[in-house]
CSV table of all heavy atoms in Angstrom, one decimal:
chain,number,residue,atom,x,y,z
A,115,MET,N,-78.6,-63.6,53.2
A,115,MET,CA,-79.5,-63.0,54.1
A,115,MET,C,-78.9,-61.7,54.6
A,115,MET,O,-77.7,-61.6,55.0
A,115,MET,CB,-79.8,-63.9,55.2
A,115,MET,CG,-80.8,-63.4,56.2
A,115,MET,SD,-81.3,-64.6,57.5
A,115,MET,CE,-82.3,-65.7,56.5
A,116,THR,N,-79.7,-60.7,54.6
A,116,THR,CA,-79.2,-59.4,55.1
A,116,THR,C,-79.2,-59.3,56.6
A,116,THR,O,-79.9,-60.0,57.3
A,116,THR,CB,-80.0,-58.2,54.5
A,116,THR,OG1,-81.3,-58.3,55.1
A,116,THR,CG2,-80.1,-58.3,53.0
A,117,THR,N,-78.4,-58.4,57.1
A,117,THR,CA,-78.4,-58.1,58.6
A,117,THR,C,-79.8,-57.7,59.1
A,117,THR,O,-80.2,-58.2,60.1
A,117,THR,CB,-77.3,-57.0,58.9
A,117,THR,OG1,-76.1,-57.5,58.4
A,117,THR,CG2,-77.3,-56.8,60.4
A,118,GLU,N,-80.4,-56.9,58.3
A,118,GLU,CA,-81.8,-56.5,58.7
A,118,GLU,C,-82.7,-57.7,58.8
A,118,GLU,O,-83.5,-57.8,59.7
A,118,GLU,CB,-82.3,-55.5,57.7
A,118,GLU,CG,-83.5,-54.7,58.2
A,118,GLU,CD,-83.2,-53.9,59.4
A,118,GLU,OE1,-82.1,-53.2,59.5
A,118,GLU,OE2,-84.1,-53.9,60.3
A,119,GLU,N,-82.6,-58.6,57.8
A,119,GLU,CA,-83.5,-59.8,57.9
A,119,GLU,C,-83.2,-60.7,59.1
A,119,GLU,O,-84.1,-61.2,59.8
A,119,GLU,CB,-83.3,-60.7,56.6
A,119,GLU,CG,-83.8,-60.1,55.4
A,119,GLU,CD,-83.5,-60.8,54.1
A,119,GLU,OE1,-82.3,-61.3,54.0
A,119,GLU,OE2,-84.3,-60.8,53.2
A,120,ILE,N,-81.9,-60.8,59.5
A,120,ILE,CA,-81.5,-61.6,60.6
A,120,ILE,C,-82.1,-60.9,61.9
A,120,ILE,O,-82.6,-61.6,62.8
A,120,ILE,CB,-80.0,-61.7,60.7
A,120,ILE,CG1,-79.5,-62.5,59.5
A,120,ILE,CG2,-79.6,-62.3,62.1
A,120,ILE,CD1,-78.0,-62.6,59.4
A,121,LEU,N,-82.0,-59.6,62.0
A,121,LEU,CA,-82.5,-58.8,63.1
A,121,LEU,C,-84.0,-59.1,63.3
A,121,LEU,O,-84.5,-59.3,64.4
A,121,LEU,CB,-82.3,-57.3,63.0
A,121,LEU,CG,-80.8,-56.9,63.2
A,121,LEU,CD1,-80.7,-55.4,62.7
A,121,LEU,CD2,-80.4,-57.0,64.6
A,122,GLN,N,-84.7,-59.1,62.1
A,122,GLN,CA,-86.2,-59.2,62.2
A,122,GLN,C,-86.6,-60.7,62.5
A,122,GLN,O,-87.4,-60.9,63.4
A,122,GLN,CB,-86.8,-58.9,60.8
A,122,GLN,CG,-86.8,-57.4,60.5
A,122,GLN,CD,-87.2,-57.1,59.1
A,122,GLN,OE1,-87.6,-57.9,58.3
A,122,GLN,NE2,-87.2,-55.8,58.8
A,123,ILE,N,-85.9,-61.7,61.9
A,123,ILE,CA,-86.2,-63.1,62.2
A,123,ILE,C,-85.9,-63.4,63.6
A,123,ILE,O,-86.7,-64.1,64.3
A,123,ILE,CB,-85.4,-64.0,61.2
A,123,ILE,CG1,-86.0,-63.8,59.8
A,123,ILE,CG2,-85.5,-65.4,61.7
A,123,ILE,CD1,-85.1,-64.5,58.7
A,124,GLY,N,-84.8,-62.9,64.1
A,124,GLY,CA,-84.4,-63.2,65.5
A,124,GLY,C,-85.0,-62.4,66.5
A,124,GLY,O,-84.8,-62.5,67.7
A,125,LYS,N,-85.8,-61.4,66.1
A,125,LYS,CA,-86.4,-60.4,67.0
A,125,LYS,C,-85.4,-59.8,67.9
A,125,LYS,O,-85.6,-59.7,69.1
A,125,LYS,CB,-87.6,-61.1,67.7
A,125,LYS,CG,-88.7,-61.6,66.9
A,125,LYS,CD,-89.8,-62.2,67.6
A,125,LYS,CE,-90.9,-62.4,66.7
A,125,LYS,NZ,-91.5,-63.7,66.5
A,126,VAL,N,-84.3,-59.4,67.2
A,126,VAL,CA,-83.2,-58.8,67.9
A,126,VAL,C,-83.3,-57.3,67.8
A,126,VAL,O,-83.6,-56.7,66.8
A,126,VAL,CB,-81.8,-59.3,67.3
A,126,VAL,CG1,-80.7,-58.6,68.0
A,126,VAL,CG2,-81.7,-60.8,67.4
A,127,GLU,N,-83.0,-56.6,68.9
A,127,GLU,CA,-83.0,-55.1,69.0
A,127,GLU,C,-82.0,-54.6,68.0
A,127,GLU,O,-80.9,-55.1,68.0
A,127,GLU,CB,-82.7,-54.6,70.4
A,127,GLU,CG,-82.7,-53.1,70.5
A,127,GLU,CD,-82.4,-52.7,71.9
A,127,GLU,OE1,-82.4,-53.5,72.8
A,127,GLU,OE2,-82.0,-51.5,72.0
A,128,ARG,N,-82.4,-53.6,67.2
A,128,ARG,CA,-81.5,-53.0,66.3
A,128,ARG,C,-80.7,-51.9,67.0
A,128,ARG,O,-81.1,-50.9,67.2
A,128,ARG,CB,-82.3,-52.4,65.1
A,128,ARG,CG,-81.4,-52.0,64.0
A,128,ARG,CD,-82.2,-51.3,62.8
A,128,ARG,NE,-81.5,-51.4,61.6
A,128,ARG,CZ,-80.5,-50.6,61.3
A,128,ARG,NH1,-79.9,-49.9,62.2
A,128,ARG,NH2,-79.9,-50.7,60.1
A,129,ASN,N,-79.4,-52.3,67.3
A,129,ASN,CA,-78.5,-51.3,67.8
A,129,ASN,C,-77.1,-51.6,67.3
A,129,ASN,O,-76.9,-52.6,66.7
A,129,ASN,CB,-78.5,-51.3,69.4
A,129,ASN,CG,-78.1,-52.6,70.0
A,129,ASN,OD1,-77.2,-53.3,69.5
A,129,ASN,ND2,-78.9,-53.0,71.0
A,130,ASP,N,-76.2,-50.7,67.5
A,130,ASP,CA,-74.8,-50.8,67.0
A,130,ASP,C,-74.1,-52.1,67.4
A,130,ASP,O,-73.5,-52.8,66.6
A,130,ASP,CB,-74.0,-49.6,67.3
A,130,ASP,CG,-74.4,-48.4,66.6
A,130,ASP,OD1,-75.2,-48.4,65.6
A,130,ASP,OD2,-74.0,-47.3,67.1
A,131,GLU,N,-74.3,-52.5,68.7
A,131,GLU,CA,-73.6,-53.7,69.2
A,131,GLU,C,-74.2,-55.0,68.5
A,131,GLU,O,-73.4,-55.8,68.0
A,131,GLU,CB,-73.8,-53.8,70.7
A,131,GLU,CG,-73.1,-55.0,71.3
A,131,GLU,CD,-73.4,-55.1,72.8
A,131,GLU,OE1,-74.2,-54.3,73.3
A,131,GLU,OE2,-72.7,-56.0,73.4
A,132,ASN,N,-75.5,-55.1,68.4
A,132,ASN,CA,-76.0,-56.3,67.8
A,132,ASN,C,-75.7,-56.3,66.3
A,132,ASN,O,-75.4,-57.4,65.7
A,132,ASN,CB,-77.6,-56.3,68.0
A,132,ASN,CG,-77.9,-56.6,69.4
A,132,ASN,OD1,-77.1,-57.2,70.1
A,132,ASN,ND2,-79.1,-56.2,69.8
A,133,ILE,N,-75.7,-55.2,65.6
A,133,ILE,CA,-75.4,-55.2,64.2
A,133,ILE,C,-73.9,-55.6,64.0
A,133,ILE,O,-73.6,-56.4,63.1
A,133,ILE,CB,-75.6,-53.8,63.6
A,133,ILE,CG1,-77.1,-53.5,63.5
A,133,ILE,CG2,-75.0,-53.6,62.2
A,133,ILE,CD1,-77.5,-52.1,63.2
A,134,ALA,N,-73.0,-55.1,64.8
A,134,ALA,CA,-71.6,-55.5,64.7
A,134,ALA,C,-71.4,-57.0,65.0
A,134,ALA,O,-70.7,-57.7,64.3
A,134,ALA,CB,-70.8,-54.7,65.8
A,135,ILE,N,-72.1,-57.6,65.9
A,135,ILE,CA,-72.1,-59.0,66.2
A,135,ILE,C,-72.5,-59.8,65.0
A,135,ILE,O,-71.9,-60.8,64.6
A,135,ILE,CB,-72.9,-59.4,67.5
A,135,ILE,CG1,-72.2,-58.8,68.7
A,135,ILE,CG2,-73.0,-60.9,67.6
A,135,ILE,CD1,-73.1,-58.8,70.0
A,136,ILE,N,-73.7,-59.5,64.5
A,136,ILE,CA,-74.2,-60.2,63.3
A,136,ILE,C,-73.3,-60.1,62.1
A,136,ILE,O,-73.0,-61.1,61.4
A,136,ILE,CB,-75.6,-59.7,63.0
A,136,ILE,CG1,-76.6,-60.1,64.1
A,136,ILE,CG2,-76.1,-60.2,61.6
A,136,ILE,CD1,-78.0,-59.4,64.0
A,137,GLU,N,-72.8,-58.9,61.9
A,137,GLU,CA,-71.8,-58.7,60.7
A,137,GLU,C,-70.6,-59.6,60.9
A,137,GLU,O,-70.1,-60.2,59.9
A,137,GLU,CB,-71.4,-57.3,60.6
A,137,GLU,CG,-72.6,-56.4,60.1
A,137,GLU,CD,-73.0,-56.7,58.7
A,137,GLU,OE1,-72.2,-57.0,57.8
A,137,GLU,OE2,-74.2,-56.6,58.4
A,138,ARG,N,-70.1,-59.7,62.1
A,138,ARG,CA,-68.9,-60.5,62.4
A,138,ARG,C,-69.2,-62.0,62.1
A,138,ARG,O,-68.4,-62.7,61.5
A,138,ARG,CB,-68.4,-60.3,63.8
A,138,ARG,CG,-67.1,-60.9,64.1
A,138,ARG,CD,-66.5,-60.5,65.4
A,138,ARG,NE,-67.4,-60.8,66.5
A,138,ARG,CZ,-67.9,-59.8,67.4
A,138,ARG,NH1,-67.5,-58.6,67.3
A,138,ARG,NH2,-68.7,-60.1,68.3
A,139,PHE,N,-70.3,-62.5,62.6
A,139,PHE,CA,-70.7,-63.8,62.4
A,139,PHE,C,-70.9,-64.1,60.9
A,139,PHE,O,-70.5,-65.2,60.4
A,139,PHE,CB,-71.9,-64.2,63.2
A,139,PHE,CG,-71.6,-64.6,64.6
A,139,PHE,CD1,-72.0,-63.8,65.6
A,139,PHE,CD2,-71.0,-65.8,64.9
A,139,PHE,CE1,-71.7,-64.1,67.0
A,139,PHE,CE2,-70.6,-66.2,66.2
A,139,PHE,CZ,-71.0,-65.3,67.2
A,140,LYS,N,-71.5,-63.2,60.2
A,140,LYS,CA,-71.7,-63.4,58.8
A,140,LYS,C,-70.4,-63.5,58.0
A,140,LYS,O,-70.2,-64.4,57.2
A,140,LYS,CB,-72.5,-62.2,58.2
A,140,LYS,CG,-74.0,-62.3,58.5
A,140,LYS,CD,-74.7,-61.0,58.0
A,140,LYS,CE,-74.6,-60.7,56.6
A,140,LYS,NZ,-75.3,-59.5,56.1
A,141,GLU,N,-69.4,-62.7,58.4
A,141,GLU,CA,-68.1,-62.8,57.8
A,141,GLU,C,-67.4,-64.2,58.1
A,141,GLU,O,-66.8,-64.8,57.2
A,141,GLU,CB,-67.2,-61.7,58.3
A,141,GLU,CG,-67.6,-60.3,57.7
A,141,GLU,CD,-66.8,-59.2,58.4
A,141,GLU,OE1,-65.7,-59.5,59.0
A,141,GLU,OE2,-67.3,-58.1,58.3
A,142,GLN,N,-67.5,-64.6,59.4
A,142,GLN,CA,-66.9,-65.8,59.8
A,142,GLN,C,-67.5,-67.0,59.1
A,142,GLN,O,-66.8,-67.9,58.6
A,142,GLN,CB,-67.0,-66.0,61.3
A,142,GLN,CG,-66.1,-65.0,62.1
A,142,GLN,CD,-66.4,-65.1,63.6
A,142,GLN,OE1,-67.3,-65.8,64.0
A,142,GLN,NE2,-65.5,-64.5,64.3
A,143,ILE,N,-68.8,-67.0,59.0
A,143,ILE,CA,-69.5,-68.2,58.4
A,143,ILE,C,-69.2,-68.2,56.9
A,143,ILE,O,-69.0,-69.3,56.3
A,143,ILE,CB,-71.0,-68.1,58.7
A,143,ILE,CG1,-71.2,-68.4,60.2
A,143,ILE,CG2,-71.8,-69.1,57.8
A,143,ILE,CD1,-72.6,-68.1,60.7
A,144,SER,N,-69.3,-67.1,56.3
A,144,SER,CA,-69.0,-67.0,54.8
A,144,SER,C,-67.6,-67.5,54.5
A,144,SER,O,-67.4,-68.3,53.6
A,144,SER,CB,-69.2,-65.6,54.3
A,144,SER,OG,-68.9,-65.5,53.0
A,145,SER,N,-66.6,-67.1,55.3
A,145,SER,CA,-65.2,-67.5,55.0
A,145,SER,C,-65.1,-69.0,55.3
A,145,SER,O,-64.3,-69.7,54.6
A,145,SER,CB,-64.2,-66.7,55.8
A,145,SER,OG,-64.4,-66.9,57.1
A,146,TRP,N,-65.8,-69.5,56.3
A,146,TRP,CA,-65.7,-70.9,56.6
A,146,TRP,C,-66.3,-71.7,55.5
A,146,TRP,O,-65.7,-72.8,55.0
A,146,TRP,CB,-66.4,-71.2,57.9
A,146,TRP,CG,-66.6,-72.7,58.2
A,146,TRP,CD1,-67.8,-73.3,58.3
A,146,TRP,CD2,-65.6,-73.6,58.4
A,146,TRP,NE1,-67.6,-74.6,58.6
A,146,TRP,CE2,-66.2,-74.9,58.7
A,146,TRP,CE3,-64.2,-73.6,58.5
A,146,TRP,CZ2,-65.5,-76.0,58.9
A,146,TRP,CZ3,-63.5,-74.8,58.7
A,146,TRP,CH2,-64.2,-76.0,58.9
A,147,LEU,N,-67.4,-71.3,54.9
A,147,LEU,CA,-68.1,-72.1,53.8
A,147,LEU,C,-67.2,-72.1,52.6
A,147,LEU,O,-67.3,-73.0,51.8
A,147,LEU,CB,-69.5,-71.5,53.5
A,147,LEU,CG,-70.5,-71.7,54.6
A,147,LEU,CD1,-71.8,-70.9,54.3
A,147,LEU,CD2,-70.8,-73.1,54.9
A,148,LYS,N,-66.4,-71.1,52.4
A,148,LYS,CA,-65.5,-71.1,51.2
A,148,LYS,C,-64.2,-71.8,51.5
A,148,LYS,O,-63.4,-71.9,50.6
A,148,LYS,CB,-65.2,-69.6,50.9
A,148,LYS,CG,-66.5,-68.9,50.4
A,148,LYS,CD,-66.2,-67.4,50.2
A,148,LYS,CE,-67.4,-66.6,49.9
A,148,LYS,NZ,-67.2,-65.2,49.8
A,149,SER,N,-63.9,-72.2,52.7
A,149,SER,CA,-62.6,-72.8,53.1
A,149,SER,C,-62.4,-74.2,52.5
A,149,SER,O,-63.3,-74.9,52.2
A,149,SER,CB,-62.4,-72.8,54.6
A,149,SER,OG,-63.2,-73.9,55.1
A,150,ASP,N,-61.1,-74.5,52.3
A,150,ASP,CA,-60.8,-75.8,51.8
A,150,ASP,C,-61.2,-76.9,52.8
A,150,ASP,O,-61.7,-78.0,52.4
A,150,ASP,CB,-59.3,-75.9,51.5
A,150,ASP,CG,-58.8,-75.1,50.3
A,150,ASP,OD1,-59.7,-74.8,49.5
A,150,ASP,OD2,-57.6,-74.8,50.2
A,151,LYS,N,-61.0,-76.6,54.1
A,151,LYS,CA,-61.4,-77.6,55.1
A,151,LYS,C,-62.9,-77.9,55.1
A,151,LYS,O,-63.2,-79.1,55.2
A,151,LYS,CB,-61.0,-77.0,56.5
A,151,LYS,CG,-61.2,-78.1,57.6
A,151,LYS,CD,-60.7,-77.6,58.9
A,151,LYS,CE,-60.9,-78.6,60.0
A,151,LYS,NZ,-60.4,-78.2,61.3
A,152,PHE,N,-63.7,-76.9,54.9
A,152,PHE,CA,-65.1,-77.2,54.9
A,152,PHE,C,-65.4,-78.0,53.6
A,152,PHE,O,-66.2,-78.9,53.7
A,152,PHE,CB,-65.9,-75.9,54.8
A,152,PHE,CG,-67.4,-76.1,54.7
A,152,PHE,CD1,-68.2,-76.4,55.8
A,152,PHE,CD2,-68.0,-76.1,53.5
A,152,PHE,CE1,-69.5,-76.6,55.7
A,152,PHE,CE2,-69.4,-76.3,53.3
A,152,PHE,CZ,-70.1,-76.6,54.5
A,153,GLN,N,-64.8,-77.7,52.5
A,153,GLN,CA,-65.1,-78.4,51.3
A,153,GLN,C,-64.7,-79.9,51.5
A,153,GLN,O,-65.4,-80.8,51.0
A,153,GLN,CB,-64.3,-77.8,50.1
A,153,GLN,CG,-64.9,-76.4,49.7
A,153,GLN,CD,-66.3,-76.4,49.4
A,153,GLN,OE1,-66.9,-77.2,48.7
A,153,GLN,NE2,-67.0,-75.3,49.9
A,154,GLN,N,-63.6,-80.1,52.1
A,154,GLN,CA,-63.1,-81.5,52.3
A,154,GLN,C,-64.1,-82.3,53.2
A,154,GLN,O,-64.4,-83.4,53.0
A,154,GLN,CB,-61.7,-81.5,53.0
A,154,GLN,CG,-60.6,-81.0,52.0
A,154,GLN,CD,-59.3,-80.8,52.8
A,154,GLN,OE1,-59.2,-80.9,54.0
A,154,GLN,NE2,-58.3,-80.6,52.0
A,155,ILE,N,-64.5,-81.6,54.3
A,155,ILE,CA,-65.5,-82.3,55.2
A,155,ILE,C,-66.8,-82.5,54.5
A,155,ILE,O,-67.4,-83.6,54.5
A,155,ILE,CB,-65.7,-81.4,56.4
A,155,ILE,CG1,-64.5,-81.3,57.3
A,155,ILE,CG2,-66.9,-81.9,57.3
A,155,ILE,CD1,-64.5,-80.3,58.4
A,156,ALA,N,-67.3,-81.5,53.7
A,156,ALA,CA,-68.6,-81.7,53.0
A,156,ALA,C,-68.5,-82.8,51.9
A,156,ALA,O,-69.5,-83.5,51.8
A,156,ALA,CB,-68.9,-80.3,52.4
A,157,GLU,N,-67.4,-82.9,51.2
A,157,GLU,CA,-67.2,-83.9,50.2
A,157,GLU,C,-67.1,-85.3,50.8
A,157,GLU,O,-67.4,-86.3,50.1
A,157,GLU,CB,-66.0,-83.6,49.3
A,157,GLU,CG,-66.3,-82.4,48.4
A,157,GLU,CD,-65.0,-81.9,47.7
A,157,GLU,OE1,-63.9,-82.6,47.8
A,157,GLU,OE2,-65.1,-80.9,47.0
A,158,GLY,N,-66.7,-85.3,52.0
A,158,GLY,CA,-66.4,-86.6,52.7
A,158,GLY,C,-67.7,-87.2,53.2
A,158,GLY,O,-67.7,-88.3,53.8
A,159,GLY,N,-68.8,-86.6,53.0
A,159,GLY,CA,-70.1,-87.2,53.5
A,159,GLY,C,-70.5,-86.6,54.8
A,159,GLY,O,-70.1,-85.5,55.1
A,160,ALA,N,-71.3,-87.3,55.5
A,160,ALA,CA,-71.8,-86.8,56.8
A,160,ALA,C,-70.7,-86.6,57.8
A,160,ALA,O,-69.8,-87.5,57.9
A,160,ALA,CB,-72.8,-87.8,57.4
A,161,ALA,N,-70.6,-85.5,58.3
A,161,ALA,CA,-69.6,-85.2,59.3
A,161,ALA,C,-70.3,-84.8,60.6
A,161,ALA,O,-71.4,-84.4,60.7
A,161,ALA,CB,-68.7,-84.0,58.8
A,162,ALA,N,-69.5,-84.9,61.7
A,162,ALA,CA,-70.1,-84.5,63.0
A,162,ALA,C,-70.4,-83.0,62.9
A,162,ALA,O,-69.6,-82.2,62.4
A,162,ALA,CB,-69.0,-84.7,64.1
A,163,PRO,N,-71.5,-82.6,63.5
A,163,PRO,CA,-71.9,-81.1,63.4
A,163,PRO,C,-70.9,-80.2,63.9
A,163,PRO,O,-70.7,-79.1,63.4
A,163,PRO,CB,-73.2,-81.1,64.3
A,163,PRO,CG,-73.7,-82.5,64.3
A,163,PRO,CD,-72.5,-83.4,64.1
A,164,MET,N,-70.1,-80.6,64.9
A,164,MET,CA,-69.1,-79.7,65.5
A,164,MET,C,-68.0,-79.5,64.5
A,164,MET,O,-67.3,-78.5,64.5
A,164,MET,CB,-68.5,-80.3,66.8
A,164,MET,CG,-69.5,-80.4,67.9
A,164,MET,SD,-70.2,-78.8,68.4
A,164,MET,CE,-68.8,-78.1,69.2
A,165,GLN,N,-67.7,-80.4,63.6
A,165,GLN,CA,-66.7,-80.2,62.6
A,165,GLN,C,-67.1,-79.2,61.6
A,165,GLN,O,-66.3,-78.5,61.0
A,165,GLN,CB,-66.5,-81.5,61.8
A,165,GLN,CG,-65.7,-82.6,62.6
A,165,GLN,CD,-65.5,-83.8,61.7
A,165,GLN,OE1,-66.5,-84.5,61.4
A,165,GLN,NE2,-64.3,-84.1,61.3
A,166,LEU,N,-68.4,-79.1,61.3
A,166,LEU,CA,-68.9,-78.2,60.3
A,166,LEU,C,-69.2,-76.7,60.8
A,166,LEU,O,-69.4,-75.8,60.1
A,166,LEU,CB,-70.2,-78.7,59.7
A,166,LEU,CG,-70.1,-80.0,59.0
A,166,LEU,CD1,-71.5,-80.5,58.6
A,166,LEU,CD2,-69.2,-79.9,57.8
A,167,CYS,N,-69.1,-76.6,62.2
A,167,CYS,CA,-69.4,-75.3,62.8
A,167,CYS,C,-68.2,-74.4,62.9
A,167,CYS,O,-67.2,-74.8,63.5
A,167,CYS,CB,-70.0,-75.5,64.1
A,167,CYS,SG,-70.6,-74.0,64.9
A,168,PRO,N,-68.3,-73.2,62.3
A,168,PRO,CA,-67.1,-72.3,62.4
A,168,PRO,C,-67.0,-71.6,63.7
A,168,PRO,O,-66.0,-70.9,63.9
A,168,PRO,CB,-67.4,-71.3,61.3
A,168,PRO,CG,-68.9,-71.2,61.3
A,168,PRO,CD,-69.4,-72.6,61.6
A,169,ILE,N,-67.9,-71.7,64.6
A,169,ILE,CA,-67.9,-71.0,65.8
A,169,ILE,C,-67.3,-71.9,66.9
A,169,ILE,O,-67.8,-73.0,67.1
A,169,ILE,CB,-69.3,-70.5,66.2
A,169,ILE,CG1,-69.9,-69.7,65.0
A,169,ILE,CG2,-69.4,-69.8,67.5
A,169,ILE,CD1,-71.4,-69.4,65.1
A,170,ARG,N,-66.4,-71.4,67.7
A,170,ARG,CA,-65.8,-72.1,68.8
A,170,ARG,C,-66.8,-72.3,69.9
A,170,ARG,O,-67.4,-71.3,70.3
A,170,ARG,CB,-64.5,-71.5,69.2
A,170,ARG,CG,-63.4,-71.5,68.2
A,170,ARG,CD,-62.1,-71.1,68.9
A,170,ARG,NE,-61.0,-71.2,67.9
A,170,ARG,CZ,-60.5,-70.2,67.3
A,170,ARG,NH1,-61.0,-69.0,67.5
A,170,ARG,NH2,-59.5,-70.4,66.4
A,171,HIS,N,-66.9,-73.5,70.4
A,171,HIS,CA,-67.8,-73.7,71.6
A,171,HIS,C,-66.9,-73.8,72.8
A,171,HIS,O,-66.0,-74.6,72.9
A,171,HIS,CB,-68.6,-75.0,71.4
A,171,HIS,CG,-69.5,-74.9,70.2
A,171,HIS,ND1,-70.8,-74.4,70.3
A,171,HIS,CD2,-69.3,-75.2,68.9
A,171,HIS,CE1,-71.3,-74.4,69.1
A,171,HIS,NE2,-70.5,-74.9,68.2
A,172,TYR,N,-67.3,-73.1,73.8
A,172,TYR,CA,-66.5,-73.1,75.1
A,172,TYR,C,-67.3,-73.7,76.2
A,172,TYR,O,-68.4,-73.8,76.2
A,172,TYR,CB,-66.2,-71.6,75.5
A,172,TYR,CG,-65.3,-70.9,74.4
A,172,TYR,CD1,-65.9,-70.1,73.5
A,172,TYR,CD2,-63.9,-71.1,74.4
A,172,TYR,CE1,-65.1,-69.5,72.5
A,172,TYR,CE2,-63.1,-70.5,73.5
A,172,TYR,CZ,-63.7,-69.7,72.5
A,172,TYR,OH,-62.9,-69.1,71.6
């Protein structure tokens, strides 16, 4: 999905700050999906949603 599509779907204002945030999340999510840890969790069957999420929750 392109950054432009994400902006449109989310009805997010197109500005430098929002574009930078979306690009950063896209990079993080992409690298997480390619990681060994994600593959191990995914192959292990159903996992807790927090285990699958690459974003830290505070």
Side-chain angles (χ1 to χ4, degrees):
M115 182 174 285
T116 67
T117 300
E118 197 60 44
E119 289 171 324
I120 294 169
L121 289 168
Q122 290 174 359
I123 290 169
K125 296 182 172 125
V126 177
E127 179 184 344
R128 189 181 202 292
N129 61 42
D130 291 342
E131 182 181 8
N132 289 339
I133 290 170
I135 291 168
I136 290 169
E137 290 294 324
R138 188 172 54 240
F139 277 108
K140 284 174 55 178
E141 289 173 18
Q142 291 174 350
I143 291 168
S144 179
S145 65
W146 170 245
L147 292 174
K148 294 175 187 174
S149 74
D150 290 339
K151 184 173 181 180
F152 178 82
Q153 294 303 317
Q154 290 171 354
I155 292 169
E157 290 172 3
M164 295 301 286
Q165 286 180 294
L166 296 174
C167 184
I169 303 166
R170 291 189 177 104
H171 296 272
Y172 297 96

